DNA sequence: AAATATACCTTGAAGTACGAGGTATCAGCG
DNA sequence: CGCTGATACCTCGTACTTCAAGGTATATTT
């Protein structure tokens, strides 16, 4: 039902390529600390998205470490559009449920 | 992360007491078909909430069948307040992430 | 030399959600 | 009368998602 981690990753990577460790911090920042996703969530999702062809990876040595930068493919942009729409639908549905005044039943 | 079914049930039962089968249809209505939760989701959640003391049940024979009406306890109202707040936090976080213009990184 | 930060990763468990099925009653139709 | 469809309850097994905890290795700071 949720797919929130996937949505956030796709959204951030649609703006610019980033690496996993960076994405962990970025999600905290961009959601105003409302959502914190650990590395145990981020890395597996990145790998799955890459396998699906939604992301492409590029290894880049920086200092003595290696960073793996991810960016969106066309497929990834499609997926992002789908998930965004889906999210909006769910959000509107729940908002309307929460706001429906007492006694209003179709 | 999600807890959406629980939130919707608590919200509906805060308005008036309802029975399981009715809640299934009600959730479809109140969310404008955005969210459909089957009986396989609803009944287990109702039972769990009752066990937790968030709901109380009342069996009521209607025609030849028996309906189980649920209503909120004080604990259930607390839980509803918590989940509503949590939902708002997540919603705002994701909205801000989705709306952040390209290049805006704290 | 030790601790902290960076950067990658996996594993096992817990939590959530769902579809498919099962029981039984009642109303309507042919 | 038998059949179908709606009402109304329920559970089971499975799948999906998410997470915390741990593991490796290098660079930087103390």
């Amino acid at each position: 039902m949720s797919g929130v981690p996937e949505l956030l990753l796709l959204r951030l990577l649609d703006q610019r390529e980033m690496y996993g460790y960076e994405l962990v911090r970025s999600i905290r920042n961009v959601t105003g600390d409302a959502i914190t996703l650990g590395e145990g969530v981020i890395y597996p999702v990145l790998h799955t998205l890459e396998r699906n062809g939604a992301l492409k990876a590029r290894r880049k040595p920086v200092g003595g470490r290696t960073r793996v930068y991810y960016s969106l493919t066309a497929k990834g942009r499609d997926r992002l559009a789908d998930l965004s729409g889906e999210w909006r639908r769910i959000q509107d549905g729940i908002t309307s449920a929460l706001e429906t005044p007492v006694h209003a039943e179709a």
Side-chain angles (χ1 to χ4, degrees), chain A:
Chain A
M1 145 128 304
S2 194
V4 166
E6 188 183 346
L7 172 59
L8 290 175
L9 286 180
L10 289 172
R11 168 61 185 167
L12 289 174
L13 293 174
D14 190 39
Q15 301 177 338
R16 58 184 177 77
E17 72 171 6
M18 293 171 88
Y19 55 98
Y21 196 77
E22 184 184 10
L23 284 159
V24 171
R25 280 171 295 153
S26 209
I27 285 176
R28 252 196 324 251
N29 285 336
V30 98
T31 63
D33 281 333
I35 297 170
T36 299
L37 299 173
E39 301 171 42
V41 177
I42 295 304
Y43 286 115
V45 176
L46 286 174
H47 297 157
T48 302
L49 287 172
E50 192 194 358
R51 234 178 297 120
N52 292 348
L55 297 181
K56 59 177 184 299
R58 193 169 67 90
R59 318 191 119 264
K60 187 178 172 186
V62 176
R65 306 184 208 85
T66 299
R67 292 179 182 165
V68 184
Y69 280 88
Y70 292 93
S71 53
L72 257 70
T73 63
K75 212 173 195 172
R77 274 182 291 274
D78 288 352
R79 179 77 179 139
L80 173 57
D82 285 355
L83 279 184
S84 297
E86 177 68 3
W87 172 254
R88 239 168 277 130
R89 265 186 57 250
I90 290 175
Q91 195 187 16
D92 290 350
I94 295 178
T95 298
S96 116
L98 292 184
E99 284 174 0
T100 300
V102 181
H103 306 308
E105 175 68 15

